[in-house]
Amino acid sequence: MNTSPLGNRHAVIDIGTNSVKLLVADLGQVLRTVVKESRHTLLGEGLFSSNCLQPAALARTVGAVQEFTSQALRSGASTIRILATSATREATNSVELVRSVRAAVGLEVEIISGDREADYVFQGVTSEPCFANRPVLIVDVGGGSTEWSLGEGRRSAFRLSTLLGTARFLQTEPPSDPPTNRDLVLLRRRVREILRVEVKPNLDVALASFGSGQVRLVGLGGAVKTLARLVVASGDPCAAFGEDMPGLTAIQIREQVERIWSLRGAERRCLAGVPPEKADILLVGAVIYEMILAELGFSELFMSERGLRHGAVLNPPTPVFRPGRSSSPMSHTRDAGSSVFPGLGSATSPQPIPPEL
């Protein structure tokens, strides 16, 4: 087992609507990634029409959690947190996921609120040096929800969780194949409505406190990364990507929206830079980002490689439990949210690692 010498290696498993993701990282003067993995499990498949997690989706998700728990232990993690977000928050049978994970790996699932999710995303993104000391509006477009957080450094000025998700739209308002112009118009109208009613009234006030042009828009998640790969693959001479500060312009995003919405599903899955399993998710995610830039008045979207898992790993359980230590059984909790910032870890339950794994 490859263990961090000071026991500062921690793991977070994020159970999302579309994917299960793992991060193992060392905490020190800087956050150092040891392992970063993702599995496309579609936990939210069928959820938004039935309000229930489906058996096949549960099985895929629990299997990914088992794989990642073993991988975290092999990597020498001294703690493991398992977080669940939008799909599990909404499902009427979320206890089935919690019980299945407990039976499979002996660890508890933390069902975190949208506010807690936005807080962790903010902490994770602003731990990246290029975003650490400038005002940022962070938008994390997921399968079931979109989390918003605005702030600078350690100061969070605004946070919000909205039911704006790629899987949600694909299930409740699926476009035809090939998608029609009417499908695109309706999706743009629906996203615009959510932004104008649920986001802008409060966000505009918070943005104004930072001054015009000072805030940088930061996106994360599969959709924005795939959009970036599409732009690069298209040979756009204006593509402004680099290790330090990759970015997408509003014009580039709109061009890619028009491009992918002109293709059948089979054609989208063959595009260079598009993982086949994410071709349909991209169809909706690209429009969400397009409308965010248009409605909020941003001309460019930057990308972060950090997010929820990084923020959560910065708040490891206390006390630290290591393999072989015994602990009392724990029941899962449904997080009501926290306004504590910084220091979110103060409300975190310890997650013991069972010795038998």
Side-chain angles (χ1 to χ4, degrees):
M1 180 182 294
N2 181 18
T3 305
S4 176
L6 298 178
N8 285 335
R9 181 164 295 175
H10 305 280
V12 172
I13 299 172
D14 166 19
I15 302 176
T17 303
N18 288 326
S19 303
V20 176
K21 300 176 181 179
L22 167 69
L23 174 70
V24 180
D26 289 340
L27 298 185
Q29 291 186 339
V30 295
L31 181 65
R32 188 179 74 87
T33 297
V34 178
V35 177
K36 189 178 179 183
E37 297 280 355
S38 179
R39 295 288 180 273
H40 193 65
T41 58
L42 293 177
L43 177 63
E45 186 175 51
L47 169 65
F48 302 110
S49 57
S50 68
N51 296 319
C52 290
L53 301 174
Q54 303 302 304
L58 280 167
R60 291 192 299 267
T61 299
V62 174
V65 171
Q66 282 183 293
E67 176 188 349
F68 285 163
T69 301
S70 296
Q71 190 170 0
L73 289 173
R74 290 194 302 271
S75 299
S78 59
T79 68
I80 301 175
R81 293 183 69 185
I82 304 176
L83 308 181
T85 56
S86 178
T88 314
R89 283 197 294 265
E90 291 189 46
T92 57
N93 64 335
S94 59
V95 68
E96 292 186 27
L97 174 66
V98 174
R99 288 172 177 167
S100 297
V101 169
R102 183 188 300 133
V105 301
L107 296 175
E108 299 299 328
V109 174
E110 299 175 56
I111 305 175
I112 62 172
S113 69
D115 282 349
R116 176 63 63 88
E117 186 176 354
D119 281 341
Y120 280 161
V121 168
F122 182 84
Q123 281 194 306
V125 171
T126 55
S127 72
E128 197 168 357
C130 58
F131 298 121
N133 297 304
R134 65 171 71 243
V136 287
L137 171 60
I138 302 164
V139 184
D140 185 4
V141 176
S145 65
T146 292
E147 276 60 53
W148 307 74
S149 48
L150 169 69
E152 181 176 7
R154 296 286 291 172
R155 183 175 73 89
S156 174
F158 174 89
R159 64 179 180 180
L160 180 68
S161 180
T162 55
L163 298 182
L164 187 63
T166 55
R168 186 184 301 277
F169 278 124
L170 285 172
Q171 291 181 36
T172 59
E173 304 174 45
S176 56
D177 190 18
T180 65
N181 185 63
R182 183 175 184 275
D183 292 331
L184 178 56
V185 169
L186 290 176
L187 179 57
R188 282 171 168 163
R189 182 183 303 165
R190 181 70 182 111
V191 175
R192 183 185 297 115
E193 177 186 357
I194 292 174
L195 294 176
R196 290 182 177 180
V197 173
E198 299 182 25
V199 180
K200 280 178 63 67
N202 292 318
L203 178 58
D204 282 349
V205 174
L207 282 170
S209 68
F210 287 94
S212 176
Q214 297 299 308
V215 178
R216 184 162 269 172
L217 180 65
V218 181
L220 51 155
V224 68
K225 292 178 183 177
T226 305
L227 276 171
R229 287 194 291 265
L230 278 175
V231 172
V232 171
S234 71
D236 187 337
C238 297
F241 300 106
E243 292 183 0
D244 294 330
M245 187 58 64
L248 286 168
T249 67
I251 293 174
Q252 288 170 335
I253 293 173
R254 189 173 189 88
E255 287 175 347
Q256 294 305 319
V257 167
E258 299 289 351
R259 176 188 179 194
I260 61 179
W261 275 79
S262 69
L263 303 174
R264 292 182 177 274
E267 294 172 316
R268 288 195 304 276
R269 287 187 281 275
C270 292
L271 287 172
V274 178
E277 71 276 9
K278 296 183 179 181
D280 291 340
I281 293 170
L282 173 66
L283 198 65
V284 177
V287 171
I288 292 175
Y289 276 115
E290 174 200 30
M291 299 311 298
I292 287 172
L293 269 74
E295 288 297 310
L296 300 184
F298 286 90
S299 61
E300 194 168 11
L301 174 68
F302 296 88
M303 290 174 289
S304 174
E305 291 295 329
R306 299 187 180 184
L308 170 64
R309 288 169 289 168
H310 298 81
V313 87
L314 288 167
N315 294 274
T318 303
V320 173
F321 286 80
R322 294 181 173 82
R325 290 185 58 175
S326 61
S327 64
S328 59
M330 297 167 52
S331 60
H332 82 281
T333 58
R334 187 177 291 270
D335 181 12
S338 169
S339 59
V340 179
F341 207 128
L344 293 171
S346 59
T348 302
S349 300
Q351 291 287 279
I353 301 177
E356 65 271 16
L357 285 178

